[in-house]
């Protein structure tokens, strides 16, 4: 319309009322300037409005100001209504994955809920978002949009407070939802802490680990980290070919090498035997500290409230930007400390799963990232040097149990 007015195609406008043309005083001034330039005529059906007279221009400005005020008041009423709905736990917008909307309430979709619980359990057990997403795609598990699962989508689905029965408003939890939870609040807290952990590897960090002890085992000669070297064939001076199987080799001194399959076989046998012992739950694995976890969650909520209050004080000009920056930095450090306390007070699902049932079968069925997590959590593996040409000696693979 504005383009046609400037081109001279349109020389008059008919509006029901000025707020049907615009509710922004700034745009009214632009229209008045345009009328001065082009001779545009305005007809206002429900009242006076004329670009050509002083009284008409004044009435346009007044009506525009009232229209702007009504927009602002409507926005305030809407925000109050949305806050009221959030406080009451009522849903807003589209139902999240795992739910469907029925009579103004979100109801759990059993099949989608099982997908969420499986994903949450596997992520807390040490699997990566990428490996879980890949597995879902192989199994043709439907995603929220119907497109293939990607790590970002999976992360968004399982991080939503809604699946823990919590109602969110403007990025903050406003209270409990009217919907039934798919996972409990403690599990949601563990997920939140896991994703907030700065030591957690990004899903874009590169290839998934493929070998049990690569980057974990320690060289007994220099203390370096053992890496996995591919197998190859050496041709000796006499022409005889000697095959060198895939091995763990020290990445620093390069003087310690052990056949990977033999080391893995030994370590896995020791782990399975230890996990099968009846005292494993009390001796190796923490059962958690519910009281410490509850206190940490309460303190985290207090810190979040202080952060919100600081933001409000800055918005009200009660504190300066520098003061807000200092307050935020201190509170975020405190929140990180409390999250570490929370993580240490909750049991590791990957370990707890091996305190019962058929341990050997569970170990064989576990993906490599879970096995590596367990190795790093409960033991230290050191590979000692031995003479050249010596056969594999289990005594040169030293396993130390780590206190839990």
């Amino acid at each position: 319309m504005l383009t046609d007015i400037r081109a001279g195609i349109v020389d008059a406008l008919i509006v029901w009322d000025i707020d049907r043309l615009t509710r922004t005083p700034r745009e009214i001034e632009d229209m008045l300037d345009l009328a001065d330039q082009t001779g545009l005529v305005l007809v206002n059906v429900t009242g006076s409005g004329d670009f050509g007279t002083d009284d008409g221009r004044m009435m346009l400005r007044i009506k525009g100001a009232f229209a702007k005020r009504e927009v602002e008041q409507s926005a305030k009423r809407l925000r109050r209504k949305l806050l009221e709905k959030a406080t009451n736990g009522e849903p807003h917008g589209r139902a999240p994955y795992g739910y469907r909307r029925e009579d103004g309430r979100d109801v759990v979709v059993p099949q989608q809920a099982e997908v969420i619980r499986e994903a949450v359990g596997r992520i807390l057990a040490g699997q990566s978002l990428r490996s879980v997403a890949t597995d879902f795609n192989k199994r043709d598990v439907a995603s929220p949009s119907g497109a293939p699962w990607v790590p970002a989508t999976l992360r968004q689905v399982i991080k939503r407070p809604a699946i823990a029965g919590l109602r969110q408003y403007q990025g903050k939890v406003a209270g409990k939802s009217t919907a039934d939870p798919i996972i409990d609040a403690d599990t949601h807290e563990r997920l939140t802490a896991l994703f907030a952990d700065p030591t957690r590897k990004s899903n874009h960090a590169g290839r998934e680990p493929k070998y049990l002890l690569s980057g974990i085992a320690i060289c007994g000669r220099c203390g370096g980290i053992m890496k996995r070297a591919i197998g190859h064939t050496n041709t000796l001076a006499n022409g005889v070919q000697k095959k060198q199987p895939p091995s763990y080799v020290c990445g620093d001194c390069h003087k310690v090498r052990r056949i990977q399959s033999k080391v893995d076989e030994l370590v896995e046998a020791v782990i399975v035997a230890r996990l099968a012992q009846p005292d494993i739950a009390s001796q190796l694995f923490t059962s958690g500290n519910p009281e410490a976890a509850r206190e940490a969650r309460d303190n985290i909520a207090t810190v979040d409230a202080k952060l919100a209050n600081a933001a409000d004080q800055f918005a009200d000009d009660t504190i300066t930007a520098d003061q807000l920056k200092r307050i935020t930095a201190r509170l975020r450090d405190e929140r990180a400390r409390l999250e570490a306390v929370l993580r240490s007070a909750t049991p590791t699902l990957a370990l707890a799963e091996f305190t019962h049932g058929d341990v050997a079968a569970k170990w064989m069925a576990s993906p490599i990232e879970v096995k590596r997590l367990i190795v790093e959590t409960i033991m230290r593996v050191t590979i000692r040097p031995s003479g050249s040409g010596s056969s594999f000696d289990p005594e040169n693979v030293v396993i130390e149990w780590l206190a839990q």
Side-chain angles (χ1 to χ4, degrees):
M1 182 188 70
L2 293 174
T3 300
D4 288 347
I5 292 172
R6 294 188 183 98
I9 299 173
V10 173
D11 56 12
L13 291 180
I14 303 175
V15 297
W16 179 257
D17 203 345
I18 186 62
D19 62 3
R20 299 298 88 191
L21 175 63
T22 177
R23 293 185 176 186
T24 305
R26 182 182 299 107
E27 291 182 351
I28 290 178
E29 295 301 324
D30 292 339
M31 293 299 298
L32 291 173
D33 291 341
L34 192 58
D36 290 339
Q37 297 166 12
T38 64
L40 179 69
V41 176
L42 174 72
V43 177
N44 186 18
V45 176
T46 60
S48 60
D50 188 349
F51 287 147
T53 67
D54 291 341
D55 288 345
R57 293 161 76 94
M58 180 186 70
M59 288 305 300
L60 288 173
R61 290 185 171 108
I62 292 173
K63 290 173 77 66
F66 274 102
K68 177 65 173 179
R69 181 181 183 278
E70 180 56 30
V71 169
E72 293 172 344
Q73 292 300 312
S74 296
K76 287 182 179 179
R77 289 193 294 270
L78 178 60
R79 286 195 295 269
R80 284 197 298 268
K81 183 61 178 177
L82 292 178
L83 177 59
E84 179 185 353
K85 286 173 64 69
T87 303
N88 293 335
E90 299 173 16
H92 176 70
R94 294 175 56 187
Y97 182 83
Y99 297 90
R100 65 174 178 271
R101 188 71 44 79
E102 289 185 3
D103 299 327
R105 184 173 180 271
D106 287 346
V107 179
V108 173
V109 178
Q111 186 177 7
Q112 294 179 358
E114 285 305 312
V115 172
I116 290 174
R117 293 190 190 102
E118 178 184 344
V120 169
R122 292 173 66 174
I123 296 302
L124 288 177
Q127 297 187 40
S128 67
L129 289 165
R130 181 168 56 186
S131 64
V132 176
T134 299
D135 180 56
F136 281 176
N137 290 331
K138 288 180 179 178
R139 290 160 47 193
D140 292 327
V141 176
S143 72
S145 66
W149 286 93
V150 295
T153 301
L154 183 59
R155 181 188 179 105
Q156 183 183 45
V157 166
I158 66 176
K159 274 193 66 178
R160 283 195 180 106
I163 66 173
L166 301 173
R167 180 64 160 86
Q168 201 172 21
Y169 178 68
Q170 293 186 342
K172 299 176 183 177
V173 173
K176 291 186 177 181
S177 169
T178 56
D180 293 330
I182 293 175
I183 62 173
D184 58 51
D186 285 348
T187 301
H188 174 67
E189 290 284 358
R190 291 170 60 192
L191 268 177
T192 301
L194 177 68
F195 286 127
D197 186 355
T199 64
R200 177 176 168 82
K201 293 181 179 179
S202 165
N203 280 287
H204 304 286
R207 295 176 296 176
E208 295 282 355
K210 295 182 179 180
Y211 311 106
L212 183 66
L213 300 174
S214 178
I216 295 177
I218 300 170
C219 173
R221 180 180 182 275
C222 71
I225 300 300
M226 304 294 287
K227 299 180 179 180
R228 195 259 191 184
I230 62 174
H232 60 275
T233 301
N234 291 330
T235 301
L236 304 180
N238 58 5
V240 175
Q241 290 189 330
K242 182 179 180 181
K243 291 185 178 180
Q244 178 66 61
S247 306
Y248 289 122
V249 181
C250 177
D252 291 343
C253 70
H254 305 286
K255 294 185 180 297
V256 176
R257 175 187 290 266
R258 288 293 180 279
I259 297 175
Q260 175 201 343
S261 59
K262 292 185 178 295
V263 176
D264 286 352
E265 182 180 352
L266 172 65
V267 171
E268 290 189 280
V270 172
I271 287 178
V272 171
R274 185 66 186 96
L275 295 180
Q277 295 299 311
D279 67 335
I280 192 67
S282 60
Q283 293 297 317
L284 286 181
F285 303 142
T286 177
S287 59
N289 186 335
E291 184 60 35
R294 184 161 45 252
E295 182 179 355
R297 282 193 292 271
D298 290 343
N299 290 334
I300 288 174
T302 300
V303 170
D304 287 342
K306 289 181 178 179
L307 284 168
N309 288 336
D312 291 340
Q313 290 174 348
F314 175 70
D316 295 338
D317 293 327
T318 305
I319 61 175
T320 65
D322 286 340
Q323 290 173 323
L324 175 64
K325 185 177 180 180
R326 290 197 299 272
I327 293 171
T328 301
R330 290 180 59 185
L331 290 176
R332 283 178 177 170
D333 287 344
E334 176 64 8
R335 198 183 198 287
R337 185 188 69 79
L338 291 170
E339 287 174 347
V341 172
L342 179 61
R343 287 195 299 273
S344 65
T346 52
T348 302
L349 184 60
L351 304 179
E353 282 296 313
F354 285 87
T355 61
H356 59 278
D358 189 339
V359 174
K362 288 183 178 182
W363 178 266
M364 291 297 294
S366 295
I368 188 63
E369 59 262 31
V370 172
K371 293 181 179 180
R372 286 171 57 87
L373 173 62
I374 293 176
V375 170
E376 290 182 293
T377 303
I378 69 173
M379 63 168 53
R380 179 183 295 109
V381 180
T382 303
I383 300 179
R384 292 174 174 170
S386 65
S388 178
S390 300
S391 59
F392 180 78
D393 184 355
E395 294 295 328
N396 287 326
V397 180
V398 180
I399 295 176
E400 303 170 80
W401 299 108
L402 302 176
Q404 296 298 303

